Amino acid sequence: LAPLCKWTKWLTLITLILLSGLVILDRARGGWTAFRNQAQEKSKAALKSWKHLHRLAQKAAREAPWNEVIHSYELLLGALFDSLEEIYEIGGVRSLPRSELGRVLVAEKGLSPEIWQEIERLLEYADGVRFGQAGVVSQDDARKKYLHWVKRGESIAQRLPTD
């Protein structure tokens, strides 16, 4: 009877270890799948965001009210800032002074200075529109160039390193 108990004890232990391993493996696979699905959803949301900005650009060119044009530029900056926050894991990029943001992105996070210069030009132009700086950007110019800036913003977001 004693040898039978030993074998039963060992067989139970091995079965328990195998079942535990299968549960852990299943959870790991499910976690990876959830992570991958979440990444795909974020990518789809970003794509929808840029498509939405393209539609707004067409509307802005067709004489949308000025406050909608300003809001469209705010959305453009929001999409760009969201990309920067997501990729570089920097919280509060919207609240950082531009010079500090550039320093953090280029010196600490490894963003190329050329891409930062493009970002900075987009930020300057959009701020000129949003804050109505006298003589900087006319309403007509802002309407006509919105699609151009959306395309540049999307291009910048696509060229940001993702690893």
Side-chain angles (χ1 to χ4, degrees), residues 27-102:
R27 296 240 179 197
R29 254 194 252 147
W32 175 250
T33 301
F35 174 75
R36 194 173 65 227
N37 289 343
Q38 185 179 15
Q40 288 173 346
E41 288 301 316
K42 282 184 179 180
S43 177
K44 286 178 186 177
L47 183 60
K48 287 180 185 175
S49 172
W50 290 109
K51 283 183 180 181
H52 177 68
L53 292 173
H54 281 277
R55 282 193 301 275
L56 288 175
Q58 293 169 352
K59 187 175 180 182
R62 292 190 313 257
E63 300 300 319
W66 180 239
N67 61 343
E68 285 184 28
V69 174
I70 292 171
H71 182 68
S72 298
Y73 275 92
E74 290 171 353
L75 292 175
L76 171 60
L77 293 181
L80 185 60
F81 284 140
D82 288 346
S83 295
L84 292 171
E85 284 180 342
E86 183 180 326
I87 291 171
Y88 292 105
E89 299 176 353
I90 303 172
V93 296
R94 290 165 175 83
S95 62
L96 289 174
R98 193 172 296 152
S99 60
E100 179 68 12
L101 178 60

